[in-house]
Amino acid sequence: MNAVLKVSGLNRFFGGIQAVKDVTFEVAPGELKALIGPNGAGKSTCFNMLMGQLPPSSGKVFLNGEEITGKPPRDIWRRGVGRTFQITGTYQSMTVAENVQMALMSHHRRIFAIRPYAYKLYREEAMALLEIVGMADQADRACAILAYGDLKRLELAIALANEPTLLLMDEPTAGMAPKERIRLMQLTADIVRERGVSVLFTEHDMDVVFAHAHHIMVLNRGELIAEGTATEVRNNKKVQEVYLGGGMLFNKEDTHA
Amino acid sequence: MGLFVAQILTGLANAAALFLVASGLSLIFGVTRIVNFAHGSLYMLGAYFGITLMNTLPGAFGFWSAILLSGLIIGLIGVIIEICVLRPVYRAPELFQLVATFGVILVIQDLALMIWGAEDRLGPRAPGLKSVVRIMGEPVPQYDLALIAITPFILLGLWWLITKTRIGILVRAATQDREMVGALGVNQSWLFTGVFFLGSALAGLGGAIQLPKGGADLLMDLNIISSVFVVVVIGGMGSIPGAFVASVLISVLNVFGVAYLPQSTLVLMYVVMAVVLLLRPYGLFGREEKAGEHGQAGEPDRPIRPAGLYGRIAVAALLAVLALIPVFSGSFTQVLLTDIIIFCLFAASLQFMLSTGGLVSFGHAAYFGGGAYAAALLVSYSDTPMEIAFMFAPLAAGLLAILFGWFCIRLSGVYFAMLTLAFSQLIWSAAFQWYEVTGGDDGLVNIWPAKWLSGTNAYYYFTLIVGVGGIILLRHLTHAPIGYALRGTRDSARQAEATGINVKLIQWTAFSIAGALAGLAGGLFVFSKGSIFPNELEIAKSFDALIVVFLGGVKTLSGGVVGAGFMEVAKDWLTRLEYWRLILGLVIIGVVIIAPDGIVGTLRKVSERIGLRRTEEFMK
């Protein structure tokens, strides 16, 4: 089976610091894969390289067999990658529906159209997408007055606008209330099942990760240290060390205790 | 060889005052992030106070203490300006602060006129330094040598203050991250006030110290401000050594320009600035701006919708009244209305890129005047029929905008604004100094419309149709996908890029459209007046447009048009008064502080509050 996303030997230096070290992995079609790791592990750096916000120092990224390394985000998006951000970046001065319509106009290449009124274009398609994320009832509210959780759901609808084969979600539930987190991840899992989209996401909330991810990768200090199913990762020694401590410093005390 | 050395020395001496003023501006910008356009006014005040004090205080001691005292006084005036005008608007978008400082310029101009009168003042010569020294056979004024000797000490003093003292540490820290400085318990307000004192005092010193070489007049505020901006931008905003190097560079360049290329001294300066910005976008010694720092601050814009039935009826009614004007009133009203419509179109074109696109241009006059000059040149040199020359105006301005826009959109925030300013000054200096072609100060005259448009009535209708057509076109574009995409790039460039939108291409397109429509306004203008002069390309013209967009309401669609209409009528009435600038300046400052939403924005909010207008559906 061909991988949707294939990453091989990805490296990134910031000055003398290596933020991402030789990261290699694949995402299969219809897979919901999590990339976890402690703060500063390099998750966001990884993501930014996948989506083209940041050029890798070396290494390659393939989408459906085509190389996309170093291409600008808008090109990668055109090839069928949707992205949500850790901090939402929706258009504050537009309504909820218009935010989705904007992405649809771009997808249908109507950005430079002069004649039509933008707020009428692709309204129905936008409503269908909002329906999926449960935001249809708020379609005509200004984005600026939405609650944060609603913005996150809106972002998901926008990310679906170009019928992506891959969704990249950077901390999709950051800043949300626990109940909302569960709802949003359930929603994502449903989308994966129904639309056959692959999802790669980073996350801090382990409940969310273990409940939904098919596969989990663990990143620490820029290196992938484990990969596998929830149980495999849970039982992995290295992962336990990273998350629960057990570094050199405490070993002696542990044995004495 | 002698002449060469003498010229370098003159250049170095000229650099003294320029460096003083520029370092002050740079310091203020670095810490407060305010682009203080009134800095030139402080320099002018320094010169006037210097003369008054020098005439009172006797001898060499009096001369030098007069300079120091002027610095002190101007520093205190700067403090007053900072506390009264700028403190209330620190949190507002940069455009607000810019407009506020422009209000200050107007106020100071009229105050200086009241106190010192309209006559140019000659500066007294420095006691003991009145003669010249011969260096390699060339006469060099002693005072020039004194200035050359003093400047390094000032640089050294500033350098010591910034790098070695506690105040300097705070200033440097605030330049890098002022919120952090605030979080660490430093009283930001007083830090800002202190920096404003120092920066203003430097401007005052600069004004006083150049007296024996220059003197004082009422135009020196705007004359120096463009050179100062060039210096600060070349040196890098917030960098004192940068200001020094750039002052020397520009001054020496000017002196040599005068000697070898007298037609291009002004152009040369702006060419250098443009080149530096292209190679090093943040100046020679500047550091990169953090993204988002100069974005749209404050309340986000509201969603927009095309005008509803009532709105359209109201506009149609207004247009019907305008169409009937020639029936009821004389040619005076028609001429005034022609001016107003032209200005409205000009303002609307700026608003398109500024409000919808978040692209704050300081040099929009380049396209207005550029279009006007393009048409006028065609008529003057090839007897082109008016119809063709008129159509050439928006075309030429659009091409100009495509060319300049390509460079400008690579930068953002203040640096974008500065580069647009540099390009507009480039066009202005070309029109001003290229006498053989553009007629220089005498302008181009006898540019009259074709016969069928030559009557006041006919041209009025022509302006009404073309002008209103242009405004409606811009308005429609705002509602079209291109306008939405532009708004998207302003709201979140990252999101736009991540959804397939080429942000720079959209901005470039908007820049070009705005330029072309400003050129259309310029075309209407030149044939209505029958002439064109370089002052239509001046900074003041660009500022007029900025101010009316602001007065009308930045976060509205009709702000530019309403503001322009209001301003033209107000000016028509105000300019009959002697001190109209003072009143206008105070009004501008008042609006910035009290009603930052502008006319349209404030009316909208007030009518919503008292229930005349329903709150828009999407704000619930």
Side-chain angles (χ1 to χ4, degrees):
Chain A
M1 196 167 54
N2 277 330
V4 173
L5 180 74
K6 205 175 132 190
V7 178
S8 71
L10 211 56
N11 282 298
R12 172 74 205 192
F13 294 88
F14 291 109
I17 296 163
Q18 189 164 13
V20 171
K21 271 183 215 158
D22 197 29
V23 167
T24 300
F25 65 89
E26 288 185 1
V27 179
E31 189 179 19
L32 182 55
K33 199 164 200 171
L35 178 65
I36 62 171
N39 285 333
K43 301 185 297 289
S44 292
T45 309
C46 252
F47 255 62
N48 287 338
M49 287 192 284
L50 299 184
M51 192 64 192
Q53 267 98 8
L54 196 69
S57 302
S58 68
K60 285 185 169 151
V61 184
F62 297 90
L63 180 74
N64 297 315
E66 274 179 281
E67 187 175 347
I68 55 166
T69 326
K71 294 219 183 303
R74 55 173 187 276
D75 281 2
I76 295 176
W77 182 82
R78 288 238 176 264
R79 289 158 196 258
V81 181
R83 158 118 207 218
T84 67
F85 293 94
Q86 189 171 348
I87 298 160
T88 56
T90 45
Y91 308 131
Q92 294 281 297
S93 74
M94 295 184 202
T95 67
V96 170
E98 283 169 347
N99 262 280
V100 185
Q101 284 168 283
M102 197 70 242
L104 287 165
M105 280 182 251
S106 176
H107 180 51
H108 294 286
R109 297 186 180 271
R110 295 290 299 279
I111 288 294
F112 284 94
I114 284 172
R115 259 160 48 89
Y117 279 130
Y119 80 101
K120 288 182 177 165
L121 283 178
Y122 308 111
R123 166 97 186 169
E124 248 126 73
E125 268 184 68
M127 290 307 286
L129 287 169
L130 288 174
E131 197 72 56
I132 295 174
V133 298
M135 286 286 292
D137 53 333
Q138 303 200 56
D140 288 318
R141 292 183 80 199
C143 229
I145 56 170
L146 287 190
Y148 194 67
D150 291 343
L151 278 178
K152 286 273 185 182
R153 285 194 286 159
L154 169 60
E155 246 199 336
L156 185 55
I158 296 170
L160 292 173
N162 62 335
E163 296 157 33
T165 49
L166 174 69
L167 272 184
L168 297 176
M169 302 172 78
D170 196 359
E171 306 230 356
T173 68
M176 292 174 89
K179 250 191 193 162
E180 289 210 290
R181 289 172 180 232
I182 293 165
R183 269 177 53 202
L184 185 79
M185 275 330 283
Q186 187 58 51
L187 183 66
T188 312
D190 291 347
I191 289 168
V192 169
R193 207 172 45 244
E194 284 158 23
R195 303 190 142 218
V197 183
S198 310
V199 174
L200 178 66
F201 71 107
T202 67
E203 190 52 73
H204 267 299
D205 186 339
M206 288 305 132
D207 290 343
V208 166
V209 173
F210 288 121
H212 293 287
H214 304 156
H215 279 98
I216 299 167
M217 297 183 288
V218 187
L219 199 65
N220 186 40
R221 296 173 187 236
E223 278 177 294
L224 277 183
I225 55 165
E227 184 173 354
T229 61
T231 343
E232 283 165 11
V233 166
R234 224 191 291 247
N235 295 330
N236 185 306
K237 267 270 151 49
K238 274 198 204 158
V239 176
Q240 286 173 359
E241 252 178 47
V242 166
Y243 271 93
L244 305 174
M248 305 278 275
L249 272 175
F250 303 107
N251 276 353
K252 266 187 193 157
E253 285 170 11
D254 283 349
T255 46
H256 283 295
Chain B
M1 187 61 200
L3 187 66
F4 185 80
V5 171
Q7 271 169 348
I8 288 199
L9 289 176
T10 313
L12 288 176
N14 290 348
L18 195 56
F19 165 62
L20 279 169
V21 185
S23 60
L25 184 74
S26 207
L27 210 59
I28 290 176
F29 173 80
V31 174
T32 65
R33 300 279 130 178
I34 283 184
V35 181
N36 181 19
F37 266 87
H39 208 66
S41 306
L42 295 171
Y43 165 76
M44 177 176 79
L45 283 183
Y48 275 114
F49 272 107
I51 286 189
T52 307
L53 288 168
M54 282 169 194
N55 290 339
T56 333
L57 304 170
F61 177 76
F63 176 84
W64 293 105
S65 37
I67 291 180
L68 289 180
L69 270 177
S70 313
L72 199 67
I73 294 171
I74 304 307
L76 292 175
I77 292 176
V79 168
I80 296 173
I81 294 174
E82 197 269 347
I83 291 179
C84 299
V85 179
L86 294 172
R87 253 190 210 189
V89 295
Y90 273 131
R91 297 232 160 261
E94 61 195 7
L95 179 64
F96 288 53
Q97 298 151 4
L98 175 87
V99 172
T101 59
F102 196 74
V104 173
I105 294 182
L106 294 175
V107 170
I108 290 182
Q109 259 175 1
D110 263 2
L111 287 181
L113 176 67
M114 271 183 206
I115 299 170
W116 288 283
E119 266 169 62
D120 291 2
R121 301 290 186 92
L122 264 180
R125 310 266 288 281
L129 295 168
K130 287 183 181 171
S131 64
V132 295
V133 181
R134 294 235 163 233
I135 294 179
M136 301 173 90
E138 294 291 328
V140 176
Q142 282 177 329
Y143 192 69
D144 277 13
L145 294 177
L147 284 181
I148 295 172
I150 293 170
T151 318
F153 285 103
I154 298 169
L155 174 66
L156 221 64
L158 278 176
W159 176 82
W160 176 80
L161 185 74
I162 297 291
T163 53
K164 298 288 173 193
T165 65
R166 183 178 151 74
I167 295 172
I169 290 173
L170 291 180
V171 166
R172 275 184 298 144
T175 309
Q176 288 185 9
D177 190 340
R178 55 177 160 159
E179 263 161 38
M180 193 63 202
V181 173
L184 290 174
V186 175
N187 186 336
Q188 275 197 67
S189 311
W190 287 110
L191 181 64
F192 282 17
T193 309
V195 166
F196 233 89
F197 172 79
L198 183 60
S200 308
L202 287 169
L205 279 179
I209 212 166
Q210 60 82 45
L211 279 172
K213 290 169 70 71
D217 60 71
L218 286 171
L219 294 175
M220 63 194 287
D221 53 348
L222 287 180
N223 281 344
I224 193 147
I225 197 72
S226 47
S227 319
V228 167
F229 274 118
V230 170
V231 164
V232 170
V233 168
I234 290 180
M237 292 230 151
S239 161
I240 303 281
F244 180 74
V245 172
S247 320
V248 170
L249 180 73
I250 290 299
S251 303
V252 171
L253 198 74
N254 262 333
V255 173
F256 278 98
V258 169
Y260 300 110
L261 287 164
Q263 297 301 308
S264 60
T265 43
L266 294 166
V267 181
L268 218 56
M269 182 163 83
Y270 297 109
V271 168
V272 170
M273 168 166 165
V275 169
V276 167
L277 278 185
L278 292 176
L279 298 178
R280 287 190 58 96
Y282 305 102
L284 295 175
F285 293 79
R287 64 176 73 236
E288 192 171 338
E289 287 291 304
K290 268 186 228 138
E293 245 177 332
H294 294 279
Q296 295 254 323
E299 203 180 327
D301 289 23
R302 294 184 181 187
I304 54 168
R305 278 285 177 277
L309 184 63
Y310 291 120
R312 282 171 197 220
I313 290 174
V315 171
L318 178 67
L319 288 180
V321 171
L322 285 176
L324 289 174
I325 286 285
V327 182
F328 295 112
S329 58
S331 60
F332 176 77
T333 316
Q334 286 177 54
V335 170
L336 179 65
L337 280 173
T338 304
D339 286 353
I340 291 178
I341 295 167
I342 292 170
F343 194 38
C344 285
L345 176 59
F346 178 41
S349 71
L350 178 66
Q351 177 140 37
F352 180 67
M353 64 187 285
L354 188 151
S355 299
T356 308
L359 301 165
V360 181
S361 165
F362 285 0
H364 207 49
Y367 312 102
F368 178 82
Y373 261 99
L377 287 171
L378 268 192
V379 172
S380 300
Y381 289 94
S382 64
D383 272 330
T384 313
M386 176 263 179
E387 293 86 349
I388 294 175
F390 175 76
M391 285 192 284
F392 187 62
L395 186 72
L399 289 175
L400 200 64
I402 288 175
L403 177 69
F404 289 170
W406 187 82
F407 295 109
C408 293
I409 50 130
R410 289 150 38 112
L411 306 178
S412 58
V414 174
Y415 289 87
F416 170 85
M418 287 298 153
L419 193 56
T420 55
L421 181 76
F423 279 128
S424 86
Q425 288 294 94
L426 199 74
I427 297 291
W428 169 77
S429 43
F432 188 71
Q433 282 195 320
W434 200 2
Y435 191 84
E436 296 79 27
V437 175
T438 61
D441 229 358
D442 301 334
L444 295 165
V445 291
N446 278 329
I447 318 292
W448 294 110
K451 241 194 193 117
W452 60 282
L453 284 174
S454 57
T456 310
N457 278 353
Y459 203 80
Y460 172 72
Y461 281 119
F462 179 66
T463 309
L464 186 64
I465 292 166
V466 175
V468 173
I471 292 170
I472 290 177
L473 173 68
L474 282 166
R475 178 108 181 174
H476 175 77
L477 286 177
T478 310
H479 291 290
I482 176 82
Y484 265 62
L486 185 61
R487 225 143 42 89
T489 63
R490 178 201 67 193
D491 282 1
S492 172
R494 183 191 67 182
Q495 176 82 356
E497 277 286 333
T499 51
I501 296 170
N502 187 337
V503 170
K504 293 292 175 202
L505 183 64
I506 296 283
Q507 290 177 335
W508 192 19
T509 311
F511 195 106
S512 312
I513 293 173
L517 280 143
L520 185 68
L524 285 172
F525 177 84
V526 67
F527 288 107
S528 80
K529 300 286 174 213
S531 58
I532 180 77
F533 301 97
N535 63 331
E536 297 304 327
L537 289 159
E538 272 175 2
I539 298 184
K541 185 80 185 176
S542 298
F543 280 11
D544 278 351
L546 277 174
I547 286 171
V548 295
V549 168
F550 173 82
L551 265 182
V554 185
K555 301 193 168 184
T556 63
L557 293 185
S558 49
V561 174
V562 173
F566 175 80
M567 183 75 142
E568 283 290 287
V569 175
K571 257 195 181 165
D572 180 60
W573 178 78
L574 269 179
T575 41
R576 295 172 201 175
L577 305 171
E578 195 183 354
Y579 294 114
W580 65 274
R581 282 190 195 86
L582 181 69
I583 300 171
L584 187 63
L586 290 175
V587 168
I588 290 173
I589 296 171
V591 170
V592 172
I593 296 172
I594 299 162
D597 293 315
I599 300 171
V600 179
T602 306
L603 281 181
R604 182 167 70 184
K605 274 196 180 156
V606 168
S607 57
E608 272 170 13
R609 197 163 303 151
I610 61 174
L612 272 176
R613 190 171 186 276
R614 272 181 306 143
T615 309
E616 283 158 305
E617 204 57 44
F618 23 71
M619 298 313 288
K620 286 177 191 163

